[in-house]
Amino acid sequence: METLKQQALALQSELTALRRDFHMHPELGLHEFRTAERIEEELDKLGVEHRRVGETGVWATIRGTGAGGGAVALRADIDALPIAEQGDAPYRSQNEGVMHACGHDAHTACLLGAAKLLVQNRDRFGGEARLAFQAAEECANTTQNFFDQGFLQGVRRVFGLHCAPDLPSDTVGLKPGPNNAGVDRFTITVHGLSTHVATPQFGVDALYIASQIVVAMQALVSRCGDPVEPVILGVGTLHAGTTYNALAETAVMEGTTRTVTKETRARLRGQIARLAQRTAELYGGAAEVDWVEFASPLINDARAAAEAKALAEAYWPEKRFITDRPISLTGDDFAEYILDVPGVYAYLGTGDPQRPETLHNIHSADFDLDERALPLGAWLHAASAIRWLAEA
């Protein structure tokens, strides 16, 4: 693994160039056409077999020639966000209104770096490493596209990583257990009956009902849940009515829940549905609730996390590998990869105290990262795969 480390460090300029190329040409989820083509170009240079999953996802396979066997999966997300970049870096986005403000450009570069390291070290493992360059993370069920094609069939371990601006670039979070919340979006439609505001007795005010639902839902967290378990229930939009002097006939609100256990996720969904429907009925209306599931709670397998941490500590003693990073109530559909297969999601520190823009929250319009972290990210992918495959 020491040789692998030196090979990874030698990739610094190459990984930086790749990351900046992806950063300059960001594409929204399900529209990552150039991104997928660039990924395929790099894989072709390495002689790596690949195929499309959906229109813009890419599945690459690298087969070892050494001892061991089985299959290990590695994953990176490739989509950007609808954010107008405000930074003045020479590699700023050239696609107006779209930006890699979540670090997926770095994730893609790291996994391509891992592909090169795995090709250079085929004789150190048997079986195959499967690489998923996933489109539209957390918004289009693109994980299922990979699963439907058998991506996880026979896989014994899964590894992935995400940039962490809250951690210095010499630090990696490898925390067993819950790391990220499960994320769902709900839409509640309230049906009432419009009438003049002067004669409310002849109508049903959908806006009033919706307002009562918004307020009452907060008690589902503060009065109906475990106070030491993190839960978020937020309403982001509420649209109702057509004029100032009439009761609203319909009201539509959208919001999200963030939960860290599957049990709380299911319970909260049922409570929201009952509250909306019964509140609407109380005032003579009706309500319906529709759900979109974005991601399950992301729970790292304790053994896989310990294995990755021990391996990294042995060869990168100058870095810090922590297990106590606070849980994040953001979501990531990497969670779906490790529902049934043991795996670990690492948090790669990308903060540089000398560059404030690297310390901002993810999704900031001037978000950037410390590119010195890229070789370690590539190594974490490749080293984990080699170890798990060689030990099969």
Side-chain angles (χ1 to χ4, degrees):
M1 293 298 180
E2 182 62 33
T3 299
L4 188 73
K5 176 182 177 180
Q6 297 308 315
Q7 291 171 333
L9 289 170
L11 292 177
Q12 178 69 74
S13 60
E14 184 176 340
L15 295 177
T16 299
L18 277 171
R19 181 257 164 171
R20 293 185 178 187
D21 180 65
F22 290 125
H23 191 88
M24 291 172 65
H25 302 94
E27 296 171 298
L28 297 177
L30 302 181
H31 296 84
E32 310 97 328
F33 297 104
R34 180 193 181 277
T35 303
E37 290 172 1
R38 284 289 291 115
I39 292 168
E40 290 168 334
E41 287 175 12
E42 295 301 317
L43 295 172
D44 287 338
K45 291 178 186 177
L46 298 171
V48 171
E49 171 189 333
H50 58 80
R51 56 172 155 149
R52 287 289 177 99
V53 177
E55 291 189 287
T56 54
V58 180
W59 171 351
T61 302
I62 301 171
R63 294 181 175 84
T65 60
V72 166
L74 309 174
R75 177 267 201 175
D77 34 19
I78 67 174
D79 56 316
L81 294 166
I83 295 175
E85 186 163 9
Q86 295 180 3
D88 57 1
Y91 47 87
R92 74 186 307 275
S93 172
Q94 297 182 4
N95 187 356
E96 190 64 33
V98 183
M99 178 191 176
H100 272 295
C102 198
H104 294 188
D105 49 350
H107 304 169
T108 306
C110 285
L111 191 53
L112 285 171
K116 187 167 188 175
L117 294 173
L118 289 167
V119 168
Q120 291 173 333
N121 294 273
R122 286 182 190 269
D123 60 340
R124 300 181 60 183
F125 64 93
E128 62 184 42
R130 299 175 189 167
L131 283 58
F133 296 88
Q134 183 193 323
E137 182 264 329
E138 202 191 318
C139 67
N141 201 25
T142 51
T143 53
Q144 194 62 45
N145 293 339
F146 278 88
F147 302 162
D148 288 345
Q149 293 194 27
F151 184 76
L152 291 181
Q153 185 174 353
V155 167
R156 30 190 317 272
R157 288 286 191 277
V158 186
F159 184 86
L161 59 79
H162 201 293
C163 293
D166 59 301
L167 298 178
S169 58
D170 65 349
T171 304
V172 176
L174 285 164
K175 177 183 178 180
N179 276 251
N180 294 76
V183 177
D184 297 301
R185 184 180 74 192
F186 59 82
T187 301
I188 301 177
T189 303
V190 178
H191 302 281
L193 178 63
S194 184
T195 186
H196 196 283
V197 70
T199 56
Q201 70 272 26
F202 298 129
V204 176
D205 191 346
L207 176 54
Y208 177 80
I209 294 171
S211 301
Q212 294 296 312
I213 293 172
V214 170
V215 173
M217 279 197 299
Q218 298 310 310
L220 298 179
V221 176
S222 64
R223 292 295 178 268
C224 300
D226 185 341
V228 300
E229 180 181 332
V231 176
I232 287 179
L233 197 170
V235 177
T237 68
L238 173 56
H239 302 282
T242 57
T243 184
Y244 78 99
N245 61 350
L247 271 60
E249 185 164 354
T250 60
V252 180
M253 71 186 79
E254 289 185 307
T256 182
T257 60
R258 309 292 169 114
T259 54
V260 297
T261 68
K262 62 181 181 180
E263 293 80 12
T264 298
R265 190 185 192 193
R267 173 181 59 77
L268 193 59
R269 177 177 294 197
Q271 289 174 325
I272 289 172
R274 290 191 296 274
L275 186 150
Q277 292 161 0
R278 292 174 184 177
T279 302
E281 291 171 1
L282 177 64
Y283 297 104
E288 57 197 41
V289 184
D290 296 307
W291 290 89
V292 176
E293 297 181 355
F294 282 158
S296 300
L298 197 160
I299 302 174
N300 279 340
D301 178 77
R303 181 176 176 182
E307 291 168 347
K309 180 173 180 286
L311 181 64
E313 285 180 326
Y315 292 95
W316 295 77
E318 69 274 25
K319 306 292 186 181
R320 290 196 308 135
F321 298 91
I322 63 173
T323 59
D324 58 352
R325 183 175 184 267
I327 189 171
S328 171
L329 294 184
T330 61
D332 194 302
D333 66 12
F334 180 82
E336 312 307 319
Y337 290 82
I338 57 176
L339 283 178
D340 299 310
V341 179
V344 57
Y345 203 43
Y347 277 88
L348 181 68
T350 55
D352 179 358
Q354 304 303 314
R355 296 177 57 208
E357 68 274 15
T358 68
L359 304 175
H360 289 176
N361 289 332
I362 284 177
H363 295 199
S364 168
D366 58 354
F367 173 80
D368 205 348
L369 51 85
D370 187 345
E371 294 164 328
R372 291 175 296 179
L374 298 175
L376 176 55
W379 184 91
L380 285 166
H381 275 294
S384 299
I386 290 171
R387 172 181 173 170
W388 287 326
L389 289 170
E391 293 182 350

